[in-house]
Each structure stands twice: as structure tokens, then as C-alpha cells.
Amino acid sequence: MNRDDCHDHGESISAALADNLERMRAALSGSDDIVVDHWGYGPGQEHAAFSAYCHTLVDEFSNHYMKTTLQDLVNHELGRAETVTPEQVRDFFGRGGVSLQPFSLLDKMDQAIGKILDGDVVLFFDEWDRALSFPAKNVPQRQVTESISEPSVQGPREGTIENLRGNLGMIRQRVKSPRLNIRYIVAGIELQTTIAYAYLEHAVNPNVLEAFLERIQGIERYEVPETSYVEDWIEDDSYSPFPQYRYTERTDTAAAALLEGKILVLVSNSPMILICPAVFVDFFNTSEDYYGRTVISSLIRLLRLLAFIIALTLPSAYVALSTFHPELIPTVLLLAILDTREGIPFPAFFEALVMEISFELLREAGIRLPRPVGSAVSIVGALVIGQAAITAQIASPIMVIVVALTGIASFAIPHYEMGIALRIVRFPLMVAAGLLGGFGIMIVSLLTLLHLTRLHTLGQPYLSSLAPFKPRTMRDLFVRAPLKVFLRSPRNRRLLRHRRGEFRSEGDPAK
């Protein structure tokens, strides 16, 4: 769908130039950045025309396009500019004559207004009920740099920007397959946001693609200023703390997701790429896992798994052990804990709750403050508050260590969305540990596991990579097998047949 299709019900452009000028000014009367230039052409300048554009979007004067239009006629039709007439303009461009500038013909006033607001220069000619539109948009754009949210230690450093066409071009540059399909949707009446989704034919699961197309239907009626609006529109469970899709700003990650059968969603004026669907284990892997050696990548993955367990259970485990199960703590360690807690007026649960909330406040403040100040505030605030809490005997040193280790472990989760989910689930675990000890942790953990088993993302089970157990999937789960194992896998042989055009339906091609 293109933008012009959204306005095919509008009024037609009039052959009277004055009527077109009046209707356009009436529609854009509240915009002072709309510029209208009047022109005359022909032997005695007896033929009238005008051009309209938005000077906040166009960085050139519109006379360049008027001169180009006349030059097209002189070079291709006439040989003498003095004989240019409205009939010649109409005949030349009406049959799609070759132009020095790419142009489009408009026959609806709504189309013309939409093009002006999109950064085009629109030319109206007297005695012609159509208009010429030339793309001339030139607004400041952020340069392609390394992604801030996903810094690269090894591998490409190309990050996306707030330009939909440029982002799609960088992805197309990496995935040169003709089977890469890119589709557009225009959403909203006021914003008219362009939404693009891309998938690699024969690599994507047909059931997933069908579910995605069904979910995204109707979004064109709503205003979509950013990519996260699309996520909220198509996700299965809006109230689950666990993300069902993941984001990236790296084009190499997007290209790898296409090869894995994922669907990419991009929105104009947003650098974020939405990857659909995303199962649980996807949030613990990064593109750099495939750029390093097998042993190093596998150890880093195991470290992330340990960080996940620490970030989720360490505070609740400490509360349960110190309150309900002190016999499970070694004697020497228990005496050390009791010594540090001497004089603390609060129970372990309240102490952990206060420290966790304080840490979350510091982390949120560090994100919202300007970057040079935010990191300093987070570090200094944590040091000052931790030391002051110990000195005032509001918190014990062991609790400060527990909270600090929990925070550091949550930072080791490579995807921010999963880190937020852990921060949310951590508090019910602490409450259950403070009320029932280890039994409470078990209850909340089982309820969380039950929720994860019932959760789906575009029809795919959220824990599909973990259950049912398949030894083949273990090669790229907690450890990463050598890449040559993947190159010899049946899936890659099937993809090779796809490239050769030898694909035969064998069920789900993504498995």
C-alpha cells in the first residue's frame, strides 16, 4: 500500500489554476512554512503555473524544478523554449516522458497536499487537471554510527538511523537474495507513518507469517509514531512482563534474524527494528556469539545464564535463608551474617525491599539524566547511599553486597527488555520469600514457569527451544557448537536448496 492509495477518494485537481490555488491555501492555511511561487512561461509569459512546497522540508528553491520541467520539454520535444504551451506540457508528462528529475503525476488534491507535506515540490499548470510532483526532501539526518544500545566488541559497527529507506537499504545490502520480501503499510491520518515489514521467503515459517499478517491488519487506521506501537498491537499477551519480541539497532543482527526465519518490522523516523517472533532463549544470545571462537562464546553464554539466575533469585534466596532456613547456611558464614546484622532494626525482607527500590531509583535516574551526568549520579549515588545505609545501621553490608551483585548480574543480560522482566518478577519472589521462605520461592517460580509455558509469540510456544527436548537444538542453546557444525546441518542444506530453487514442501521450513 502506498500513501496515494489512502487519498484516492479526494477531490480531483481542477483545470483552473486559480481553483487549485484557493483549495490548497484553504487546506494549508494554518501552516506558515508552505511556500507558493508563481510562474509564467511561453513566448510572452502568458501561460501561468505555480509551485508549492514546505520550506522546512525542502532545502532548495522550487525554481530549480520549474526550470527542469521546461528543459525536459526543450530537450526532448521542442528545441525552442519560446513555443512551450500547456498542451505540450500535458502531452509530454501525461505519456510519461523522460525527465531529468524523477516525477509522479497527481490527479487528486489530497494527493498533492500529502506530497507537499512529505517533502515534495508540486507544480500546477493552468489548463491541466493534473499536477507534477518532484521529490525534494532534505532534512537533517543522524549519520550512521555504532549502535549505542548494542555496542560491538567484535564484528560490524553499523547501526540504524531515523531513516526508513536508509535502514532498509543497509539490510538489503547485507541480504542480496531476491527472496527477501519487503512490504509497506501507511498508518494514521495525521502522522501517515510508513511501516515496513520484511521476511525471507522459504525461510520464514508460513504459520508465523500468516499469524503476523492477521495481527497487523487494521493498524493503518491508527497513529503509529514509533516501533513499540506495532509491538503492542501484535503481541499475544499485553500484560505479561516477559517480552515476546526483541529490538535491535544493528543491521547484522537483523540480517541474521532474517536467515533464521524471523520477520522484521521497521517504522519511519525510528531507528529500532522489531524482530518477530522472539522466544525465551533469543534474549540471551547476541550476534557476537558467532564472531568469536567456540570456547569463548560458550563460556560467555554460561556466564549469562548464571547472571540470569543471580538477578532473579539472589535477593529472595538471601531473605528466605536468613529468615526461615538459617540451618542451611554454613556456620561460619551464618555467624558473619549475624554479626553484620547486629543492630539492624528491620527484618531481612524489609531491608532487601528498601535497598532494591533505592537501587532501581538510582538506575532510572541515571537513564533519564543527561548522559555525562547520569553515569556519575548512578555511581556516586550508589556509593553514598550504600555507605550511609551501613553507617546508619539501616542496612547490613551483606545486603548491600547482595543488591549490588543483583544489579550487576541484571546488566549482564544482553537485551534490555528481558532485564526489565527480571526486575519485575524479582519483587514477587522477594515477597513470597519473606512470607513463606523457600516454599514461597517455589510457588512463585512454578507460577512463573506455568505462565511461560502458556505464553505464545505469533503462535509459537515461548519455551519452544527448551521443550520438547531435542539434542539438535542444544548445539546453539547454552553452548555454541563450532560454526562448521551448523554449515553441515540439515537446515542449511535445506536453505541451500532454497537458493537453488530445489525446495520441496517438507512441513515447517523453519525447523
Side-chain angles (χ1 to χ4, degrees), residues 276-311:
C276 317
V279 296
F280 183 73
V281 296
D282 289 341
F283 294 94
F284 299 92
N285 300 335
T286 65
S287 296
E288 294 177 352
D289 293 346
Y290 304 95
Y291 300 150
R293 299 176 61 245
T294 300
V295 175
I296 304 302
S297 299
S298 299
L299 289 177
I300 292 177
R301 283 191 178 182
L302 293 175
L303 187 63
R304 292 193 197 118
L305 179 62
L306 177 62
F308 169 77
I309 298 173
I310 293 175

Side-chain angles (χ1 to χ4, degrees), residues 23-93:
R23 288 158 58 189
M24 193 199 66
R25 283 180 170 173
L28 300 173
S29 59
S31 301
D32 292 337
D33 59 343
I34 303 299
V35 177
V36 176
D37 292 331
H38 295 271
W39 306 98
Y41 65 98
Q45 305 292 312
E46 70 274 12
H47 303 303
F50 74 85
S51 58
Y53 62 97
C54 182
H55 78 81
T56 54
L57 297 177
V58 177
D59 196 28
E60 299 180 9
F61 293 109
S62 63
N63 59 358
H64 168 73
Y65 297 92
M66 188 65 181
K67 291 178 180 178
T68 300
T69 302
L70 298 179
Q71 187 175 353
D72 289 333
L73 292 169
V74 171
N75 292 340
H76 298 282
E77 291 288 313
L78 305 175
R80 296 183 59 196
E82 290 78 10
T83 60
V84 174
T85 64
E87 291 78 9
Q88 292 165 335
V89 174
R90 178 177 63 247
D91 294 341
F92 177 72
F93 288 99

